[in-house]
Amino acid sequence: MIVGVVNARREATVQTPILSVSGRQQLVGAILDTGFNGSLTLRPALIAVLGLEWRTRALVVLANGSEDLCDVYAATVRWDGKLRNILVEAADTDPLVGMALLAGHDLRIQVVEGGIVTVGALD
């Protein structure tokens, strides 16, 4: 089970371990975004530090309805105790965990500052 916290802006957050190309694990704080269909967004500078492999450019629809092109990278994350190969979208924003990474899990949020966020696998 993954346990996180609701921050002062009422955002559900979790620490997401991401593996660099050298296998070193780095914890990244990320906001859970149920309006994001992908797996994860990271800032380009962090993607470079981790040495993630570029895969393609993709057209994405932003929250305001506009479209933009972004670079997409391959990454490995430790999610709910298991290694998962995912695609990461480069974005100049706080890291976001999307519905593709949350798929197959139960999400519970105590929506108060300091509230507990739990993400557990559905069996």
Side-chain angles (χ1 to χ4, degrees), residues 1-2 78-83:
M1 178 175 293
I2 300 164
R78 187 172 305 280
W79 186 255
D80 200 19
K82 297 180 178 89
L83 293 179

Side-chain angles (χ1 to χ4, degrees), residues 31-34 36-41 96-103:
I31 299 166
L32 301 180
D33 184 352
T34 60
F36 170 42
N37 292 332
S39 292
L40 184 66
T41 67
L96 302 174
V97 167
M99 294 301 284
L101 199 49
L102 290 167

Side-chain angles (χ1 to χ4, degrees), residues 74-98:
T76 302
V77 298
R78 187 172 305 280
W79 186 255
D80 200 19
K82 297 180 178 89
L83 293 179
R84 288 187 53 184
N85 295 316
I86 64 167
L87 295 176
V88 171
E89 296 176 17
D92 284 316
T93 185
D94 291 334
L96 302 174
V97 167

Side-chain angles (χ1 to χ4, degrees), residues 20-78:
S20 71
V21 291
S22 67
R24 184 178 53 88
Q25 182 173 289
Q26 179 162 340
L27 278 178
V28 174
I31 299 166
L32 301 180
D33 184 352
T34 60
F36 170 42
N37 292 332
S39 292
L40 184 66
T41 67
L42 294 175
R43 291 183 186 275
L46 180 56
I47 289 171
V49 167
L50 294 168
L52 301 183
E53 180 183 334
W54 183 86
R55 288 295 172 95
T56 190
R57 286 184 59 76
L59 184 65
V60 296
V61 179
L62 305 177
N64 66 5
S66 66
E67 295 179 343
D68 197 9
L69 281 173
C70 75
D71 288 315
V72 179
Y73 296 81
T76 302
V77 298
R78 187 172 305 280

